[in-house]
Amino acid sequence: MSGEMEEVLWVEKYRPRTLDDVIDQEDVISALKEFVKKKNIPNMLFSGPPGTGKTATALALAQDLYGGNWRAYTLELNASDERGIDMVRTTLKNYARTRVTGEIPFKIIVLDEADMMTSEAQHALRRTMEKFADISRFILICNYPSKIIEPIQSRCAVFRFRKLSEDAVKARLKYIAKSEGVDLRDDGLEAIIEISEGDLRKAINLLQSVAYLDKPVTRELVYKTAGVVFPERIDKLLKLAFEGKFEDSRKMLLTILTEEGVSGSDLIRDIYSAIAKDVIKLKPDDKIKLMELIGEIDFRISQGATDYLQITSLLAVLTDLGKKYRGAK
């Protein structure tokens, strides 16, 4: 990479500034542009997977609505930082009750990760939304709309953000790489797409992390930087166990966890993906049981169980399962 790198997060540097900059959410954007034309918006609920542009769209809407002075009319809060009722009664309520002057008689409150709020806080928020409806508009952002209480959902226009298409993410990454002078190879781009799984924020952050190494962005470099195991390695790990080579699979697992520094929670998710893609040919009933076990192991690891012991037990089950298939031949 040529030149000195700016000490700035690319995810912020290339954040959409207007609704026209938001990619791959055409239906949502067209509706929001109509609100901007009318200079009036309802309370809204943006839901969808991480990294699909929900927060960026909310802030771009504010910029289109208010112009260069948009920050004076916009409050952005993260509900995961302050989940309780006190946040609603103090910070949020004090801002919501203040009047503004200008062509647009209301301000916007963007509440990120609203699904992390307690039920008590959400009920307090509902009352605040009702009380200051004439001078404040709320944009609630969440990954799981089912965690938002019904009284709030019914008071919002709901917009669902879909997972970004592979082509849209590729185009954005190529644009950023070209702008930053990064030598992004085709296999490196494919690797970033595989790892990010439609999360553009994750993809941009990964691209920047690899770019700091000032080397061509290749598949191998991307996987090493991300701390993710090559899919081929996961396939081999599972096949060794299934073919009865339990000790070889156990040693390989130890290498992956210790020498390569991969976390158990990431590895178990990679194993899940490999099983889902039929890396090992299993009967439907056996596949279901194995998926259930993987889910249980994932939960145990999240609760503090030793990842090596838990995944070793999975390999043991897979070895035992393989005996049945080899005996049937």
Side-chain angles (χ1 to χ4, degrees):
M1 202 180 110
S2 59
E4 291 294 324
M5 265 186 130
E6 292 182 69
E7 292 298 323
V8 63
L9 288 174
W10 291 354
V11 74
E12 294 299 330
K13 183 177 180 180
Y14 294 97
R15 181 184 287 273
R17 305 302 173 195
T18 71
L19 291 174
D20 287 329
D21 296 336
V22 179
I23 66 170
D24 206 31
Q25 302 291 351
E26 290 83 2
D27 293 341
V28 173
I29 298 306
S30 61
L32 296 182
K33 283 182 177 179
E34 288 301 314
F35 292 148
V36 172
K37 283 182 184 177
K38 296 174 182 176
K39 297 189 182 300
N40 192 16
I41 66 170
N43 293 318
M44 293 183 282
L45 176 63
F46 291 176
S47 68
T52 51
K54 300 184 297 296
T55 305
T57 299
L59 298 180
L61 170 65
Q63 292 177 70
D64 282 354
L65 196 59
Y66 298 109
N69 198 30
W70 66 277
R71 289 193 181 278
Y73 299 92
T74 309
L75 175 67
E76 184 183 3
L77 293 172
N78 193 311
S80 66
D81 295 334
E82 299 180 78
R83 302 174 60 241
I85 195 170
D86 288 341
M87 181 271 289
V88 179
R89 287 176 172 169
T90 54
T91 308
L92 195 148
K93 190 173 181 180
N94 288 338
Y95 186 83
R97 72 188 348 155
T98 57
R99 292 187 176 274
V100 293
T101 57
E103 183 183 2
I104 299 172
F106 59 84
K107 57 196 162 307
I108 294 176
I109 299 171
V110 179
L111 195 55
D112 210 346
E113 299 191 51
D115 47 349
M116 299 297 290
M117 294 175 68
T118 63
S119 177
E120 185 183 33
Q122 289 191 44
H123 281 287
L125 173 62
R126 174 185 62 81
R127 292 189 291 271
T128 302
M129 291 171 69
E130 292 173 343
K131 189 173 182 180
F132 303 108
D134 57 332
I135 57 173
S136 294
R137 299 290 188 274
F138 290 81
I139 301 179
L140 309 183
I141 298 171
C142 67
N143 295 332
Y144 307 102
S146 59
K147 294 184 179 180
I148 303 295
I149 61 173
E150 183 57 37
I152 287 182
Q153 291 195 44
S154 65
R155 287 166 174 78
C156 295
V158 179
F159 292 93
R160 304 191 188 282
F161 285 66
R162 66 177 184 271
K163 183 178 176 180
L164 298 177
S165 71
E166 189 174 301
D167 288 342
V169 177
K170 280 183 178 179
R172 191 62 177 168
L173 292 177
K174 285 180 179 178
Y175 168 75
I176 293 172
K178 184 177 180 181
S179 301
E180 298 292 336
V182 176
D183 183 4
L184 177 58
R185 304 290 172 87
D186 288 343
D187 64 334
L189 178 60
E190 292 293 340
I192 293 175
I193 296 295
E194 288 172 14
I195 294 170
S196 60
E197 298 179 324
D199 184 334
L200 183 58
R201 178 173 55 243
K202 183 176 180 180
I204 294 172
N205 284 333
L206 180 53
L207 174 62
Q208 185 173 15
S209 297
V210 182
Y212 273 128
L213 301 174
D214 204 13
K215 298 177 181 178
V217 178
T218 62
R219 183 172 186 262
E220 183 177 1
L221 197 59
V222 168
Y223 270 92
K224 283 184 177 179
T225 304
V228 178
V229 186
F230 281 99
E232 297 88 345
R233 298 262 290 154
I234 299 294
D235 296 353
K236 183 178 179 181
L237 176 72
L238 298 178
K239 286 177 180 178
L240 282 173
F242 193 67
E243 291 166 1
K245 302 172 184 175
F246 174 73
E247 279 303 314
D248 290 340
S249 68
R250 186 185 64 79
K251 290 175 183 176
M252 186 176 180
L253 171 64
L254 191 60
T255 299
I256 291 171
L257 292 176
T258 56
E259 294 180 21
E260 298 176 21
V262 177
S263 75
S265 57
D266 288 340
L267 181 57
I268 197 68
R269 287 175 178 83
D270 290 338
I271 290 173
Y272 173 87
S273 297
I275 296 296
K277 292 175 183 175
D278 293 323
V279 166
I280 295 172
K281 300 300 181 183
L282 298 171
K283 294 177 181 177
D285 287 348
D286 289 333
K287 187 174 181 180
I288 289 170
K289 289 177 182 177
L290 199 59
M291 289 293 201
E292 289 176 347
L293 177 59
I294 290 171
E296 178 64 29
I297 288 174
D298 184 42
F299 175 74
R300 291 176 197 161
I301 292 174
S302 72
Q303 297 300 303
T306 305
D307 48 13
Y308 172 67
L309 294 178
Q310 293 298 321
I311 299 176
T312 298
S313 71
L314 173 63
L315 295 178
V317 169
L318 199 55
T319 300
D320 193 50
L321 189 61
K323 288 180 184 177
K324 182 173 74 171
Y325 283 79
R326 291 192 299 276
K329 290 182 179 179

